Amino acid sequence: MTDLASAFPTRPLKLRKTGIVPGIFSYLGGLMFLGIAGFIAVWQAPGIYNDIIISQNPVVVYDSTVEDGHCTTRRFVFTDCEAHVTYSVKGKTFERDIELMFVDFGTKDYEVEVVRSADKPQIVGLSLGLDMLWNRIIVGAAFVLGLGALGAALFFKGARADRVRAMARKALPLTPVPVNVVAISNVVGAKAVAYTIPRPGKKPGPNIASRIGRKQDLFWLNGDGQALAVLHAGSKHPILLDAELTRLDLTEEERRKIEAARDGVEAAAS
């Protein structure tokens, strides 16, 4: 790699292609995850808040009607329950739709009572909701925070991809680096390549994704599964190079010099 680095041009170079997917796709994925997180928050937060209030001073409503009450368990773990409750307090009738989501293993029937707040009679829930209150808080928070974190990570990934693509359009100094190719798979109209930056003595870093043409190959180095990539100054995202080095704005002489350094032969004079 030392000979290859010395053969690499020191002048600023542009990248004609990066193989990096535009950030818009990551942004759309991020919006989807954030949307799901927002939906779960809007769906579950009001019921959890009401049950927290009820738990401070609960009263069982014996003279009440529960309609359309049912629970559905998915994958033997996630359970959501719904019910329509009608009850009266001091001659005033209240109707409420109640929705719960919690984790419970297996499938079974639940016996419930209608419970309201003694201080705020318009706030009503089910005894099952109070029994599972901490379960619901933890599950709801895990879903919202987990999906929100995924959405934020995708936005960060998209911003990083767009930053690297923008830098590629400028003539900047590039540093050649070896990368470990983890996997190559066929996708629509291209090949997807997963690779990592070598970290001697440490665990491999996260996979980096790139794409090359179906008929293209990587600029393989004389090593097991290693290919050549380039880094912009200040960037931590190496960009894979193709076997013909067409991604770089090189002269024919510069191209031959790099290939010769890789192959361990002297470059032919132009």
Side-chain angles (χ1 to χ4, degrees):
M1 187 66 197
T2 303
D3 293 339
L4 194 59
S6 61
F8 210 82
T10 57
R11 67 182 178 87
L13 294 171
K14 287 184 179 181
L15 280 157
R16 292 169 176 162
K17 288 185 178 181
T18 63
I20 299 172
V21 177
I24 182 64
F25 298 101
S26 294
Y27 299 145
L28 291 174
L31 283 174
M32 181 187 70
F33 281 117
L34 291 175
I36 296 173
F39 169 77
I40 293 175
V42 171
W43 174 36
Q44 290 296 311
I48 291 174
Y49 175 74
N50 285 346
D51 283 351
I52 290 174
I53 294 176
I54 294 170
S55 67
Q56 295 171 355
N57 194 4
V59 174
V60 177
V61 183
Y62 294 103
D63 186 15
S64 60
T65 303
V66 178
E67 299 175 320
D68 300 326
H70 64 276
C71 292
T72 303
T73 301
R74 296 176 175 83
R75 300 184 182 276
F76 296 95
V77 176
F78 299 106
T79 301
D80 59 86
C81 301
E82 298 179 1
H84 181 79
V85 174
T86 305
Y87 64 104
S88 298
V89 179
K90 295 181 180 180
K92 187 174 181 179
T93 300
F94 298 93
E95 292 189 34
R96 295 288 185 270
D97 289 318
I98 299 172
E99 296 180 334
L100 313 173
M101 181 183 70
F102 53 89
V103 168
D104 197 11
F105 296 96
T107 58
K108 55 189 173 184
D109 295 329
Y110 298 97
E111 293 185 2
V112 300
E113 293 179 314
V114 176
V115 185
R116 67 172 177 86
S117 168
D119 304 317
K120 299 178 179 180
Q122 73 276 15
I123 298 179
V124 69
L126 301 176
S127 56
L128 177 62
L130 298 185
D131 295 339
M132 297 287 185
L133 185 55
W134 276 109
N135 185 314
R136 293 161 59 206
I137 292 172
I138 293 171
V139 170
F143 269 106
V144 172
L145 294 177
L147 291 169
L150 282 174
L154 284 173
F155 268 93
F156 176 78
K157 179 182 177 182
R160 184 177 62 182
D162 283 346
R163 176 176 175 270
V164 174
R165 286 167 58 88
M167 291 176 69
R169 291 191 289 267
K170 303 175 183 177
L172 296 170
L174 297 174
T175 302
V177 293
V179 294
N180 294 327
V181 178
V182 178
I184 301 177
S185 57
N186 290 324
V187 295
V188 179
K191 289 190 290 189
V193 184
Y195 57 100
T196 61
I197 302 173
R199 300 168 64 186
K202 298 181 181 179
K203 291 182 179 180
N207 286 357
I208 304 170
S210 181
R211 292 194 177 199
I212 60 172
R214 277 286 182 92
K215 297 181 179 181
Q216 285 186 312
D217 199 2
L218 302 178
F219 192 96
W220 294 104
L221 301 175
N222 294 329
D224 293 334
Q226 284 201 333
L228 183 64
V230 290
L231 268 175
H232 288 103
S235 173
K236 296 181 180 179
H237 192 121
I239 298 172
L240 273 178
L241 298 180
D242 60 297
E244 291 77 27
L245 299 175
T246 57
R247 287 187 170 181
L248 290 175
D249 186 19
L250 296 172
T251 65
E252 189 60 34
E253 182 179 353
E254 289 170 335
R255 185 174 290 105
R256 284 200 303 267
K257 190 175 180 181
I258 294 172
E259 291 172 346
R262 187 269 310 270
D263 299 332
V265 298
E266 186 176 350
S270 55

